[in-house]
Amino acid sequence: MSVATATSDRAPISATVLRVLRRNAWLLGLVVLLAAMLLLTRIIQPTYGAAGIDSLARAALPIAFAAVAQAVVVIAGGIDLSVGSMMALTNVAAASMMHRQGEEFGVVAVVLTLILGIALGITNGVLVVVTRVPDIVVTLALSFVWAGAALLVLNTPGGGAAQWLKDLPVGGVFTEWVPSAMVLLLVCVGAVWLPLRRRRSGLALYAVGSDRLAAFRSGVPIARTKVLSYALCGLFSAMGGLALSAATGIGTPTPGPYTLLSVAAIVLGGVSLAGGRGGLLGCIIAVLILRLVRTDLTFLGVDPNYATVIEGLIMVAVVMVGAVVALRRKPA
Amino acid sequence: MSVVEGTTSSPPPAWRTADAWQRLFRERPIVPLLVLLGALVVLYQVVQPGTISPNWVGSIIRNAVPLAILAACQTLTMLTGGIDLSVGAVASMAAYVMATLVPSQGPVIAIVVALAACGLAGLANGIGVGIFRVHPLIMTLAMSLVVLGLMTVYQLIMVAAGSRVPPEIRTLGGGTSFGFVPHNLLLFVPLAVGIMWALRRTGFGRLLYAVGDNERAARLSGVRVWQVLVALYVVSGLLAGVAGLVYVGITNVATVTLVDKYVLTAVAAAVIGGTSIFGGRGGYAGTIVGAIILSLLTNLLTVLQMPEAARQVVFGAIILAVAAAYTRITSEA
């Protein structure tokens, strides 16, 4: 009897563990892949250590912000092709505000830049909602607008950045093995995303992304949620722009390849392009994996340009695997 | 009954004429587009009196042709609900491969090899989209990464071989006769007529609309959707290759990122031309007018000596405005 109760008590726990595992299978897979890649890097290059991880985290920082920005919009069923342009615009805005200004003013400039990012995102979102033009067309058009605006702010690379901002992602926290760029990334993303995710508006993002009509019928405010997703995208893009400022110390008005990289990263990170599925942590890990591929190729003496090829192949392979998994799951 | 007759016999109320206008715009999107084009020409004449000449028209069309070919890739793929973002990388590949092979192999083999490479890239896209059901956006984006990476490596290998754009390509792509007839029309007119004819009159063209309108219905009525998609993306790759060759004829210098900056413009031309990004609706005639409008607009903003910045802002605003107008007109049916 007691055995029976014990097993019946235990069964739900193991079932819960299984369920959590199954639900986060993709994330776990990514973590394992990242660990394997780090191990592989260590084997290829025995001197790879804290310094390598630090430079990895710093190189990944702007891309990770871009990926997170893209992920939020895609989860809510949209897509934002203007992420790269928004990063360029916020980058030059921050750089021109901080040019020849004191360290203290840097704080004001950072806050203003983040507000600018939110404003850009809200503009994207409102235009998507009001015009009812497909998201991809609206954000494509606005990517021209934001890139042009970036050129208006700074015609050539220039401006400056506060020293504390440049120092922020350098070095480690407590030990050199925990790169501060990674901590910075997790703190920034977590501070915005974690309070939101379990609340009504966070759930609404997933609801609108997975089934717009059902969400509407359950009383989810579609328009407001869409705008919220784009506003968050703008905010994270602004963080990405500031990360560029911190890394380069100046503002560069031409958009980098961040829009494409962000799409590649979220696909690998387990966010479904159809919306409603995936999380932000997976995208961050995916960015690290994609960066490590580049590092490893360099260590192996392979032309790093092949990394671009491999990134493309990974994207396709991931989507194919995802489709096969979905097909096999459907009949069950 | 008499009340009904009374209302019908009275002059049509305002809403009915509005309805007629809407129908006109919905079914003949080319009409408002031509009006917009005319308005732009008038605007040009107002801000820059005296520039409008046969020469000017020739240069506008010469620049619009490669864009229109690139936009053909977008139009055809968008009709099926897809998109081809790999055209920039593929077109640049055609230009670069051709230019690097000319010194050793001669122009004919170089062009054939270049177009074959484009067809292969298109085939890979088609297999991914048609057979493995990868989202076209991802598949073609990934393909552009693959092609760009391979081309960058190829560039390092071929750097010693040197590159040359043969005079035939220069004449065909960038040359003009009598000062104002661009030679690339020789290539483009048959191509455009062929595309429009294929879309209206051939089974393949109708299948593109059918697949884009309702893929499930198309499949249930016996269409082998995957074959249509594979063929479509091969065609798209080949068209991108042709566009790349025309571009390099104009610029005369081949690089591996030559055409990249025109990809989004090509999507814009198709969107302005009235092709729905969701598939099933649109045509090539609108796209051609869209490409001419964008070419004219670029020229106008350059002539006004607007900084590149303002040019991009205006560009984006117009794409958005036209797309919004379309959505409004076509959805309030």
Side-chain angles (χ1 to χ4, degrees), chain A residues 130 132 140-141 147-148 260 303 312, chain B residues 141-142 152 156 264 309 312 316 327-328:
Chain A
V130 169
R132 287 183 289 161
L140 170 66
L260 296 193
D303 189 335
Chain B
L141 204 58
T152 326
L156 294 177
L264 297 186
Q312 291 196 14
T327 314
R328 189 118 303 185

Side-chain angles (χ1 to χ4, degrees), chain B residues 1-309:
Chain B
M1 196 64 186
S2 63
V3 178
V4 174
E5 272 169 22
T7 51
T8 47
S9 61
S10 66
W15 62 264
R16 183 162 300 168
T17 50
D19 200 45
W21 272 109
Q22 258 183 23
R23 196 173 311 132
L24 173 73
F25 277 48
R26 196 161 55 236
E27 280 156 21
R28 296 255 170 272
I30 193 111
V31 176
L33 276 181
L34 287 173
V35 172
L36 178 62
L37 183 59
L40 273 177
V41 172
V42 171
L43 179 70
Y44 208 112
Q45 180 64 27
V46 170
V47 294
Q48 290 283 318
T51 39
I52 294 182
S53 64
N55 262 330
W56 175 81
V57 174
S59 84
I60 296 283
I61 291 182
R62 194 187 70 157
N63 290 328
V65 162
L67 181 62
I69 303 177
L70 264 197
C73 306
Q74 307 303 341
T75 309
L76 297 181
T77 47
M78 274 161 65
L79 281 179
T80 64
I83 193 165
D84 191 345
L85 294 182
S86 68
V87 290
V90 171
S92 310
M93 170 171 75
Y96 195 76
V97 168
M98 188 278 298
T100 48
L101 287 184
V102 162
S104 56
Q105 311 287 334
V108 176
I109 293 180
I111 291 174
V112 169
V113 170
L115 288 181
C118 295
L120 269 182
L123 181 66
N125 274 335
I127 290 174
V129 173
I131 300 175
F132 290 99
R133 319 300 303 163
V134 179
H135 195 294
L137 188 74
I138 295 184
M139 186 65 220
T140 54
L141 204 58
M143 184 52 64
S144 73
L145 288 181
V146 171
V147 169
L148 180 64
L150 288 178
M151 288 318 292
T152 326
V153 176
Y154 176 79
Q155 185 182 27
L156 294 177
I157 298 170
M158 296 299 284
V159 75
S163 70
R164 189 163 60 84
V165 179
E168 295 87 353
I169 292 282
R170 281 211 303 274
T171 316
L172 187 65
T176 48
S177 287
F178 315 117
F180 66 94
V181 180
H183 291 157
N184 53 22
L185 279 182
L186 276 180
L187 179 73
F188 181 65
V189 171
L191 195 68
V193 170
I195 291 174
M196 283 191 275
W197 175 77
L199 280 180
R200 293 237 175 96
R201 298 274 175 231
T202 66
F204 180 67
R206 301 319 295 171
L207 284 181
L208 292 184
Y209 283 93
V211 169
D213 205 31
N214 189 336
E215 189 178 323
R216 205 176 139 81
R219 183 172 295 136
L220 290 178
S221 38
V223 178
R224 292 193 185 86
V225 174
W226 68 270
Q227 291 179 354
V228 176
L229 289 176
V230 170
L232 166 68
Y233 281 91
V234 171
V235 169
S236 178
L238 289 174
L239 283 173
V242 173
L245 294 182
V246 176
Y247 266 121
V248 80
I250 294 178
T251 63
N252 204 6
V253 177
T255 63
V256 292
T257 53
L258 176 73
V259 191
D260 279 3
K261 56 178 178 285
Y262 298 107
V263 176
L264 297 186
T265 321
V267 176
V271 169
I272 288 180
T275 302
S276 163
I277 206 152
F278 292 133
R281 200 183 66 235
Y284 191 48
T287 304
I288 297 175
V289 182
I292 297 175
I293 287 178
L294 289 181
S295 165
L296 180 62
L297 203 63
T298 314
N299 186 290
L300 177 64
L301 295 175
T302 314
V303 167
L304 289 178
Q305 293 183 332
M306 274 205 187
E308 173 66 20

